[in-house]
């Protein structure tokens, strides 16, 4: 039930972002560590993802939301991959908000993956430049997404939980006791007002 209410929170935050003119929103939907949960819970989450994408597609289109994903998408069940790709295709012409869903994602995985690709490209002669931040950024899953200005951490936790570690270097952090399923427009505006004061 908590996950179902979490989907409602996503809708509220997405609509609030569009209303405020926020152009990029990245939500940590499913971490690589979540694969360690019981199978029945993972299956329920994957089914919820598929049904939610189908249900929310009209909301995305109505609000001008483009869907994007970061993470090891190939590790998701084929049904989820198909629904994700379908939703990405159908929202590709929208331009108000880019919603990035981090699925089967972990920042350590992303960084290691980037290093492996750089090494492979170096060995194959496909990368002749000096490796600096700009080059490294191009190998990250977020290479076409601006670095976050604000990171909101819900549920009273005071940790980043393996989320966008490289990208959060200069991000303002906001922590709230409110659980994600209870996070609504009012709580989102509180975070924005706090950010504006900094």
């Amino acid at each position: 039930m908590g996950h179902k209410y979490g989907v409602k929170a996503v809708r509220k935050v997405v609509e609030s972002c569009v209303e405020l003119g926020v152009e990029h929103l990245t939500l940590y939907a499913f971490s690589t560590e979540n694969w360690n949960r019981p199978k029945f819970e993972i299956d329920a989450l994957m089914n919820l993802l598929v049904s939610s994408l189908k249900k929310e597609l009209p909301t995305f289109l109505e609000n001008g939301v483009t869907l994007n994903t970061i993470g090891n998408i190939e590790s998701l069940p084929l049904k989820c991959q198909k629904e994700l790709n379908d939703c990405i295709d159908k929202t590709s012409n929208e331009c108000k908000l880019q919603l990035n869903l981090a699925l089967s994602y972990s920042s350590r995985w992303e960084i290691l993956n980037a290093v492996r690709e750089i090494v492979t490209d170096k060995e194959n002669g496909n990368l002749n430049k000096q490796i600096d931040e700009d080059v490294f950024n191009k190998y990250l899953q977020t290479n076409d997404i601006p670095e976050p200005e604000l990171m909101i951490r819900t549920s009273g936790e005071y940790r980043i939980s393996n989320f966008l570690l490289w990208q959060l270097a200069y991000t303002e952090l906001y922590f709230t006791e409110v659980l994600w399923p209870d996070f609504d427009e009012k709580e989102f505006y509180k975070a924005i007002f706090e950010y504006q004061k900094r």
Side-chain angles (χ1 to χ4, degrees):
M1 288 306 295
H3 295 304
K4 285 185 179 178
Y5 280 106
V7 172
K8 290 180 181 177
V10 170
R11 185 185 311 126
K12 290 174 183 174
V13 171
V14 164
E15 289 174 344
S16 297
C17 282
V18 172
E19 188 178 303
L20 293 175
V22 174
E23 295 177 359
H24 295 271
L25 172 66
T26 302
L27 298 175
Y28 205 176
F30 190 86
S31 74
T32 53
E33 288 85 4
N34 288 152
W35 290 114
N36 296 325
R37 293 181 178 202
K39 185 180 183 309
F40 76 88
E41 187 177 351
I42 293 171
D43 290 345
L45 284 169
M46 293 299 132
N47 288 329
L48 181 61
L49 174 63
V50 169
S51 63
S52 297
L53 286 170
K54 286 180 180 175
K55 187 177 174 185
E56 295 302 320
L57 181 59
T59 305
F60 292 160
L61 295 171
E62 183 183 324
N63 287 283
V65 176
T66 300
L67 183 67
N68 182 45
T69 58
I70 59 172
N72 186 8
I73 305 307
E74 293 77 24
S75 66
L76 298 174
L78 290 176
K79 188 177 179 182
C80 289
Q81 292 182 47
K82 182 183 177 305
E83 202 57 49
L84 274 168
N85 289 328
D86 186 50
C87 202
I88 288 168
D89 287 343
K90 287 179 178 170
T91 61
S92 62
N93 293 323
E94 303 304 320
C95 60
K96 287 185 182 172
L97 171 70
Q98 180 175 322
L99 171 61
N100 308 298
L101 287 184
L103 292 161
S104 191
Y105 174 86
S106 97
S107 194
R108 287 180 175 178
W109 167 84
E110 178 187 28
I111 290 168
L112 284 171
N113 195 55
V115 170
R116 286 187 198 107
E117 288 182 16
I118 288 169
V119 169
T120 299
D121 281 354
K122 272 284 197 190
E123 288 174 348
N124 294 336
N126 298 325
L127 179 61
N128 300 316
K129 298 179 184 177
Q130 171 125 7
I131 300 166
D132 57 15
E133 282 190 29
D134 289 335
V135 169
F136 189 77
N137 279 328
K138 286 176 184 159
Y139 283 85
L140 293 173
Q141 299 253 312
T142 55
N143 63 66
D144 58 349
I145 304 168
E147 290 185 352
E149 295 176 60
L150 172 66
M151 194 276 290
I152 301 171
R153 183 61 162 103
T154 61
S155 308
E157 300 289 353
Y158 290 87
R159 53 188 162 83
I160 296 172
S161 298
N162 204 357
F163 180 60
L164 300 178
L165 299 175
W166 175 271
Q167 298 86 341
L168 291 176
Y170 298 101
T171 301
E172 292 291 331
L173 307 179
Y174 176 84
F175 299 94
T176 176
E177 297 289 325
V178 177
L179 301 174
W180 176 250
D182 300 321
F183 197 84
D184 58 13
E185 306 96 318
K186 182 181 168 189
E187 294 300 328
F188 182 66
Y189 295 149
K190 272 190 200 173
I192 297 295
F193 289 149
E194 175 61 32
Y195 170 71
Q196 288 176 328
K197 288 193 263 179
R198 297 182 186 180

